[in-house]
Amino acid sequence: MKRFIIVLLSLAVLTGAYAIAFGVPVQVAQLWGGAPAEETAAAPRGGPDGGPGGVRGQARSTTVVLAPLEEHAYTLVLRTVGSAVSLRRSEVVATEAGEVVETALQANKAVEKGNVLLRLDDRTERLTLEIAEANRDQAQATVTRYQGLHQNGSAVVTDVALSEAEVALRLAVANVGLAEVVLDNRTIVAPISGRLGLSNVHVGDQLSGGDAIVTIDDTSTLLATFEVPERSIGLLTEGKPVLVTTPTYTGRVFEGKVTAFDSRLDSVTRSATVEAEIDNAEGLLLSGMTFAIRMTEETAPLPVVPATAITWDRSGAGIWIVEEGRTSRAPVTIRYRDGDQVWIETEAQVGAQIVTEGAAKLRDGAQVTTADASRGPGA
């Protein structure tokens, strides 16, 4: 008997819970002497307030959160790492062999183009120049004498003799020029303006032709080289601004611009090599530094929705639009994501009311109420 009473009580609890959740079936309501079938079918779902507990089989509204569809631009950001060298740089090498007799190779010293960096022993070259100048002077004297005699009508100097003397003078002048060039090559000067690097050349060293002497870097502008992946190739245009940071100067951002990029992708890395000039007028950055490089670009305004507004079915992604309390589904194409925000392409009009919460429970044509409305006045 006790077990039978427990079973009855359980059935009563289940029946009550069913009636509260889904309403009382029409047939049962008629048996209990309720309203006629016609009135029951016309009664609003869930009773006067539209809430649960109405008659089974009638449509019920779903509580959702709505928001207008808005448009915003999306900021594309490319972050990569690159290294930089001086835009103008030179490695000074010895063009002649000889002993170093004078140097001005102080590391990090600023030099101007044409400043003397190093001198080689030039005693032999100076003597060679003196010999060439003496021969030139002698040839010049001969030509002058022959020209004077020829103008006075002397038969001693023929036209041929005068011509030969003039040719000898030209050769002597050329030999002087060659001797001057050789002498000048014994003095090494700065080919560009910039700052000197470290050098191992000292007075008394013996240099051979082609030996490295020192490097010069004009760091007023640096040339950064970095890789851009295939998916971000659309960001590349000449003159595109780039932002550069380095751990050496935390919080400091240096500006530059793209000057060139490769015409093809690397077959292994699927990326393109890019060069950008970085303004370094203050001289804070050094050639060879590694940089964190950032490029940004804003897209045209696109519809943006919370991630909770996106639902999926066999046709793909979509959002729910509410018009006059009824829902309809609009397909979307997802373009970008940033946190809980999603930028999409859709035919839905900007300003349309979309479901941002509760979208997973909806069907086409479903009746909905907003969360605020469901609380009622004074809630």
Side-chain angles (χ1 to χ4, degrees):
M1 186 67 180
K2 182 177 180 181
R3 181 178 297 177
F4 179 71
I5 294 173
I6 294 174
V7 171
L8 288 178
L9 291 174
S10 300
L11 289 173
V13 171
L14 290 174
T15 302
Y18 183 91
I20 293 172
F22 302 103
V24 180
V26 176
Q27 295 82 354
V28 176
Q30 292 176 355
L31 290 175
W32 285 353
E38 294 80 3
E39 296 179 6
T40 303
R45 165 180 261 228
D49 60 353
V55 179
R56 177 184 173 184
Q58 299 175 10
R60 294 184 303 149
S61 63
T62 302
T63 301
V64 296
V65 177
L66 301 179
L69 182 61
E70 298 180 348
E71 272 190 342
H72 296 291
Y74 179 77
T75 302
L76 295 168
V77 181
L78 168 67
R79 291 181 172 86
T80 185
V81 176
S83 59
V85 295
S86 302
L87 180 61
R88 299 183 68 241
R89 55 196 182 278
S90 177
E91 183 174 6
V92 182
V93 298
T95 57
E96 302 288 338
E99 179 184 352
V100 178
V101 295
E102 180 184 341
T103 64
L105 301 176
Q106 183 179 350
N108 208 37
K109 176 184 176 182
V111 296
E112 297 294 331
K113 181 179 180 179
N115 285 3
V116 175
L117 303 178
L118 177 147
R119 294 185 190 275
L120 298 175
D121 182 11
D122 58 3
R123 290 174 295 177
T124 300
E125 289 70 24
R126 289 184 181 279
L127 291 175
T128 301
L129 177 59
E130 288 186 14
I131 294 172
E133 290 175 340
N135 290 333
R136 178 200 60 192
D137 294 343
Q138 185 178 16
Q140 180 65 61
T142 300
V143 169
T144 302
R145 186 173 67 256
Y146 281 9
Q147 288 175 342
L149 292 173
H150 190 269
Q151 290 174 358
N152 293 332
S154 174
V156 176
V157 179
T158 64
D159 292 341
V160 174
L162 177 59
S163 178
E164 290 177 350
E166 290 175 343
V167 170
L169 175 60
R170 291 173 58 191
L171 291 174
V173 171
N175 286 331
V176 171
L178 289 175
E180 290 175 342
V181 170
V182 173
L183 179 61
D184 289 342
N185 286 341
R186 309 300 286 178
T187 301
I188 310 298
V189 299
I192 63 172
S193 299
R195 291 188 178 277
L196 299 178
L198 289 171
S199 175
N200 294 323
V201 177
H202 305 284
V203 173
D205 291 347
Q206 287 288 338
L207 294 182
S208 300
D211 285 350
I213 297 175
V214 71
T215 58
I216 303 177
D217 288 284
D218 179 4
T219 57
S220 58
T221 302
L222 297 182
L223 184 65
T225 304
F226 54 95
E227 302 292 323
V228 171
E230 182 176 0
R231 66 178 183 275
S232 300
I233 293 299
L235 291 175
L236 296 181
T237 56
E238 289 190 15
K240 178 76 175 179
V242 297
L243 303 177
V244 176
T245 58
T246 173
T248 306
Y249 302 103
T250 303
R252 182 75 180 268
V253 178
F254 300 89
E255 297 183 357
K257 62 181 180 180
V258 174
T259 55
F261 50 89
D262 206 344
S263 60
R264 64 179 63 183
L265 298 179
D266 185 275
S267 59
V268 177
T269 63
R270 308 306 304 168
S271 60
T273 302
V274 183
E275 293 182 347
E277 292 184 7
I278 303 171
D279 182 27
N280 187 35
E282 299 180 43
L284 299 177
L285 305 177
L286 298 180
S287 177
M289 276 185 167
T290 299
F291 299 109
I293 298 174
R294 186 170 76 253
M295 299 174 61
T296 62
E297 181 176 350
E298 284 195 353
T299 66
L302 291 171
V304 57
V305 298
T308 53
I310 304 291
T311 60
W312 298 84
D313 61 13
R314 292 181 180 179
S315 63
I319 58 174
W320 290 97
I321 302 173
V322 176
E323 294 183 9
E324 298 180 355
R326 297 287 179 177
T327 60
S328 61
R329 194 170 188 273
V332 302
T333 301
I334 296 176
R335 291 289 304 276
Y336 309 105
R337 290 179 180 269
D338 186 7
D340 60 352
Q341 297 293 305
V342 182
W343 280 256
I344 60 175
E345 290 181 353
T346 179
E347 294 181 357
Q349 298 297 317
V350 175
Q353 293 292 316
I354 63 170
V355 177
T356 59
E357 294 184 26
K361 302 177 291 183
L362 299 179
R363 299 292 183 270
D364 277 324
Q367 183 177 352
V368 296
T369 58
T370 63
D372 292 338
S374 66
R375 296 190 182 98

